[in-house]
């Protein structure tokens, strides 16, 4: 699988707590500290990407057209998502938000158009 397909599977998976969709499903939210440990630090079959550094992961995000978004939007309407965001913030972890017009929770068919 190419990077966008792997990222999609990761965001859709409930196996990882470090990455999820934003409330509107248009951005990917990443708890940087936990992501480094949970995803990039994995080995063997748990290894999702062929990289272990956050810098390399973010470079791939940029190569595929993802742009970093500022956290200016409202907190999650869903209690579950709100509590997850609060827990992440209280753990002093930085939450990163990345947007790509072809990477949207409700439109997986757009992945076919993703190129580097």
């Amino acid at each position: 699988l190419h990077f966008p397909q792997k990222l999609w599977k990761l965001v859709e998976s409930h196996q990882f707590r470090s990455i999820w969709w934003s409330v509107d499903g248009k951005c990917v939210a990443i708890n940087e500290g936990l992501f480094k440990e949970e995803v990039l630090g994995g080995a063997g079959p748990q290894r999702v990407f062929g990289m272990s550094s956050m810098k390399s992961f973010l470079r791939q995000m940029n190569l595929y057209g993802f742009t970093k978004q500022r956290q200016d939007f409202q907190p999650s309407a869903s209690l579950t998502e709100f509590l997850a965001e609060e827990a992440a913030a209280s753990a002093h972890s930085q939450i990163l938000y990345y947007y790509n017009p072809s990477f949207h929770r409700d439109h997986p068919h757009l992945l076919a158009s993703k190129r580097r």
Side-chain angles (χ1 to χ4, degrees), residues 68-87:
K68 188 174 181 180
Q69 301 294 296
R70 290 186 25 204
Q71 171 63 6
D72 287 341
F73 44 88
Q74 297 293 323
S76 302
S78 150
L79 178 60
T80 306
E81 290 181 39
F82 176 76
L83 291 174
E85 289 170 2
E86 286 296 308

Side-chain angles (χ1 to χ4, degrees), residues 34-84:
L34 186 56
F35 187 82
K36 287 178 188 177
E37 177 186 319
E38 192 178 58
V39 177
L40 299 177
Q46 287 287 73
R47 186 140 187 133
V48 179
F49 301 106
M51 63 198 80
S52 58
S53 80
M54 193 67 182
K55 185 176 180 179
S56 295
F57 174 78
L58 295 177
R59 187 177 305 122
Q60 285 295 311
M61 294 284 282
N62 290 325
L63 284 172
Y64 279 95
F66 286 85
T67 55
K68 188 174 181 180
Q69 301 294 296
R70 290 186 25 204
Q71 171 63 6
D72 287 341
F73 44 88
Q74 297 293 323
S76 302
S78 150
L79 178 60
T80 306
E81 290 181 39
F82 176 76
L83 291 174

